[in-house]
């Protein structure tokens, strides 16, 4: 191909890589010659071997992929991440997480797959085995909404502050009996009412921060229902457990830690013959568009999901460029809808 273009092999290589000075006319002559010969460019594997870089960002999802892709937050976050790193010539390897305690704590891909950097979604506890495995390999990590960790960049949101704003909104409406439906406390992914011992054993930081946000605003939940995943059916199961009691003993408001869980609570309340918000107020977290919940419009805390993904992508690019970006916390905002109202008398 180089001889067909009348240039040296090194010049032809520069035409494809764009890594050095080359005249536009010469570059075009090389590309035209390659097109006429049906040559698409240097072997990517060979380029990886020469550079020592894979061009791959390992994204540790932290859950089964079939369940993660039912969660709009995960999908929108990945969209923001991929849109940001694609122009950098980077690709994504999705790595699932264990779905039960019986499965290996660390996916084999974490131990062996080629990657230049890893992104951990909804993880990064102090003793996370995946984080430890990546550290052993010397792979830098960006953690999404995890604990503050030494030598690990974290991108998150002010979810604790957002939940405090939501709790204050309910308190101002006169609600005193507030229950909450949470995201999983840890990799064991239990479901059901959480007792005091369970509340002291929360491994993952997101449910802990969002519970703390309620308390910050002076709301001590009368019941905490833990779910194994952020899915509508788990929210509906929580509603059946929390709202089946008689008037005067059941909660007058339910705060869910995701919009999918909150929408399940709304559907479960309807099944029980309760009106939302006249009999029970329901609020969520995420700011998702849920047209199928009509005529209800969920009261929620809106987080910038795509922007969060883009911030993760920018952190990835800066780390791979040899920089050390600061941790970033993005703001959230309360959005009132039709699912919250004054506490019933």
């Amino acid at each position: 191909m180089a001889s067909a273009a009348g240039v040296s092999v090194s010049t032809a290589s520069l035409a494809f890589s764009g890594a050095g000075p080359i005249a536009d006319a010469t570059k075009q002559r090389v590309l035209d010659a390659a097109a006429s010969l049906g040559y698409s460019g240097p072997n990517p594997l060979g380029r990886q071997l020469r550079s020592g870089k894979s061009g791959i960002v390992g994204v540790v999802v932290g859950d089964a992929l079939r369940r993660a892709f039912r969660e709009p937050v995960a999908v929108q976050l990945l969209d923001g991440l991929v849109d940001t790193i694609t122009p950098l010539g980077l690709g994504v390897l999705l790595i699932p997480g264990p779905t039960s305690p019986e499965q290996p704590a660390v996916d084999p891909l974490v131990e062996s797959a080629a990657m230049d950097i890893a992104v951990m979604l909804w993880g990064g506890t102090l003793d996370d085995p995946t984080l430890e495995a990546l550290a052993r390999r010397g792979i830098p990590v960006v953690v999404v909404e995890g604990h503050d960790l030494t030598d690990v960049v974290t991108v998150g949101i002010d979810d604790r502050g957002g939940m405090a704003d939501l709790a204050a909104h309910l308190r101002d409406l006169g609600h005193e009996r507030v229950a909450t439906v949470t995201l999983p406390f840890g990799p064991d992914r239990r479901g059901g009412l959480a007792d005091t011992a369970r509340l002291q054993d929360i491994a993952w930081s997101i449910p802990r921060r969002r519970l703390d946000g309620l308390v910050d605003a002076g709301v001590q939940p009368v019941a905490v229902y833990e779910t194994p995943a952020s899915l509508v059916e788990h929210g509906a199961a929580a509603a059946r457990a929390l709202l089946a009691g008689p008037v005067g003993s059941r909660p007058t408001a339910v705060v869910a830690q995701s919009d999918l869980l909150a929408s399940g609570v709304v559907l479960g309340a309807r099944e029980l013959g309760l009106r939302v918000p006249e009999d029970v107020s329901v609020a969520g977290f995420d700011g998702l568009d849920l047209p199928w919940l009509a005529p209800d419009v969920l009261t929620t805390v809106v987080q910038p999901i795509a922007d969060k993904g883009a911030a993760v992508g920018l952190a990835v690019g800066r780390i791979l460029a040899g920089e050390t970006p600061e941790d970033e916390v993005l703001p959230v905002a309360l959005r009132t809808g039709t699912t919250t109202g004054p506490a019933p008398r």
Side-chain angles (χ1 to χ4, degrees):
M1 188 276 295
S3 60
V7 300
S8 67
V9 173
S10 60
T11 299
S13 177
L14 288 176
F16 279 98
S17 70
I22 182 173
D24 290 342
T26 303
K27 179 179 180 179
Q28 190 59 51
R29 190 164 74 249
V30 171
L31 297 179
D32 290 344
S36 68
L37 296 171
Y39 177 69
S40 60
N43 187 316
L45 180 58
R47 185 184 303 120
Q48 292 170 14
L49 292 172
R50 288 191 299 273
S51 67
K53 300 293 184 182
S54 68
I56 296 297
V57 179
V59 178
V60 184
V61 176
D63 195 3
L65 295 182
R66 67 181 180 275
R67 191 155 58 188
F69 281 100
R70 291 180 62 192
E71 230 290 11
V73 174
V75 175
Q76 292 180 36
L77 175 64
L78 286 170
D79 278 346
L81 169 62
V82 171
D83 287 348
T84 305
I85 65 173
T86 296
L88 303 178
L90 299 172
V92 164
L93 171 65
L94 294 179
I95 303 174
T99 57
S100 71
E102 293 75 31
Q103 292 186 321
V106 179
D107 190 279
L109 288 172
V110 173
E111 302 276 11
S112 61
M115 64 182 85
D116 299 330
I117 190 170
V119 172
M120 291 185 62
L121 305 185
W122 342 120
T125 57
L126 297 176
D127 55 353
D128 193 302
T130 295
L131 195 60
E132 292 173 353
L134 292 167
R136 286 194 300 270
R137 295 184 61 189
I139 295 175
V141 180
V142 177
V143 170
V144 181
E145 296 187 66
H147 291 271
D148 291 332
L149 303 171
T150 304
D151 300 325
V152 174
V153 176
T154 301
V155 175
I157 56 173
D158 182 20
D159 49 356
R160 181 169 179 167
M163 284 302 256
D165 290 342
L166 181 52
H169 165 69
L170 293 172
R171 188 192 60 216
D172 291 345
L173 289 170
H175 292 278
E176 297 178 353
R177 298 192 306 279
V178 178
T180 186
V181 180
T182 77
L183 296 167
F185 287 177
D188 52 353
R189 294 181 176 275
R190 298 185 193 176
L193 291 168
D195 58 18
T196 301
R198 182 62 176 167
L199 289 170
Q200 294 174 346
D201 191 32
I202 299 177
W204 288 348
S205 59
I206 298 175
R208 176 77 276 162
R209 284 197 305 269
R210 296 183 187 182
L211 283 170
D212 288 344
L214 296 178
V215 177
D216 289 345
V219 172
Q220 188 66 51
V222 295
V224 177
Y225 190 100
E226 178 189 3
T227 66
S230 176
L231 297 176
V232 174
E233 56 263 38
H234 296 314
R240 290 190 287 270
L242 294 170
L243 300 176
V247 177
S249 65
R250 66 177 179 239
T252 63
V254 177
V255 176
Q257 292 189 352
S258 80
D259 282 350
L260 290 189
L261 291 173
S263 63
V265 174
V266 171
L267 296 178
R270 290 176 182 172
E271 291 176 8
L272 293 169
L274 300 177
R275 300 166 301 163
V276 177
E278 292 84 359
D279 298 318
V280 59
S281 288
V282 181
F285 192 107
D286 287 328
L288 298 179
D289 182 20
L290 302 172
W292 47 267
L293 198 60
D296 288 306
V297 177
L298 200 62
T299 293
T300 184
V301 176
V302 181
Q303 63 160 312
I305 305 170
D307 289 346
K308 183 169 63 177
V312 173
L314 291 173
V316 164
R318 292 185 62 189
I319 291 171
L320 293 180
E323 302 176 33
T324 305
E326 297 289 331
D327 293 345
E328 186 168 0
V329 178
L330 303 177
V332 299
L334 175 65
R335 184 179 71 199
T336 56
T338 64
T339 60
T340 51
R345 300 297 180 186

